[in-house]
Amino acid sequence: MLASFLVGCSTPKFPSPPEATYELRSASKYKIGPGDSVQIFVWRYPEVSTTVPVRPDGFISAPLLEDIPASGKTPTELARDLEAALSVYLRDPLVTVIVQGFQGIFPEQIRVLGEATHPTALRYIDGMTLLDLMIQVGGTTQFAAGNRAVLMRFEKGEKKHYTVRLDDLTKAADLSANVDMQPGDILIIPESWF
């Protein structure tokens, strides 16, 4: 009876995702998010040039500018918006936006929950794999059931679940257990039952 219970506990609940390709996948440009800091350089107008944080509501304020939406825009898109807003006060403003901090927007972050050494939300980096993610969070705790970890992913508007083998990857160095990560992934690492 106990043997059948143990076998049932080790059986993956969801299918495994495809093995890691170790290739860059994303062609999308970085989007500014709350917590980022943006340096605004206005050519010929040093008194207006400044560095400001992106507020939690996704807006920025700067000299001559109040409540400009920044979150979800690329640096170039924000620069064009700032040029339009500043043109009311300045002649032919030419703006460059340089992002600092790099938090990104929430839908593109990867979240790690449960028995990770440091559960957190991390910025997705193009080409990131499960192994890279586990290094970032410091691995799993001694109480983790790593081979029962679940990767939640939204694909074409549908939520999918995959079982990932963290113990095989991190403790047995089995690189066949490594998978590509995608923006918005959520990794849930359960606690061991005993």
Side-chain angles (χ1 to χ4, degrees), residues 68-127:
I68 303 293
S71 185
K73 296 182 180 182
T74 67
T76 302
E77 290 169 340
L78 179 57
R80 298 301 80 81
D81 289 352
L82 295 175
E83 287 173 351
L86 287 170
S87 66
V88 173
Y89 308 103
L90 307 173
R91 177 184 281 207
D92 300 323
L94 181 60
V95 177
T96 302
V97 171
I98 301 168
V99 180
Q100 302 167 340
F102 299 107
Q103 295 298 313
I105 59 175
F106 289 123
E108 293 186 359
Q109 292 180 359
I110 296 175
R111 292 164 182 81
V112 182
L113 307 171
E115 294 299 315
T117 302
H118 304 288
T120 190
L122 298 167
R123 177 177 54 92
Y124 171 78
I125 299 172
D126 195 20

Side-chain angles (χ1 to χ4, degrees), residues 1 25 112 171:
M1 176 77 168
R25 303 183 63 172
V112 182
K171 295 178 181 171

Side-chain angles (χ1 to χ4, degrees), residues 99-178:
V99 180
Q100 302 167 340
F102 299 107
Q103 295 298 313
I105 59 175
F106 289 123
E108 293 186 359
Q109 292 180 359
I110 296 175
R111 292 164 182 81
V112 182
L113 307 171
E115 294 299 315
T117 302
H118 304 288
T120 190
L122 298 167
R123 177 177 54 92
Y124 171 78
I125 299 172
D126 195 20
M128 179 182 272
T129 66
L130 182 60
L131 180 60
D132 300 320
L133 182 65
M134 293 313 299
I135 290 169
Q136 290 286 326
V137 299
T140 58
T141 69
Q142 66 185 20
F143 304 109
N147 281 349
R148 289 192 297 113
V150 174
L151 178 65
M152 279 184 20
R153 175 174 289 166
F154 291 90
E155 296 175 342
K156 299 178 183 171
E158 185 179 334
K159 182 172 36 173
K160 303 254 179 145
H161 294 84
Y162 298 100
T163 298
V164 291
R165 299 177 293 130
L166 294 180
D167 288 340
D168 292 350
L169 177 63
T170 60
K171 295 178 181 171
D174 180 358
L175 291 180
S176 70
N178 200 12

Side-chain angles (χ1 to χ4, degrees), residues 46-81:
E47 63 278 1
V48 182
S49 298
T50 188
T51 300
V52 296
V54 180
R55 300 186 318 234
D57 64 0
F59 287 77
I60 61 169
S61 296
L64 302 178
L65 303 167
E66 293 182 354
D67 296 332
I68 303 293
S71 185
K73 296 182 180 182
T74 67
T76 302
E77 290 169 340
L78 179 57
R80 298 301 80 81
D81 289 352

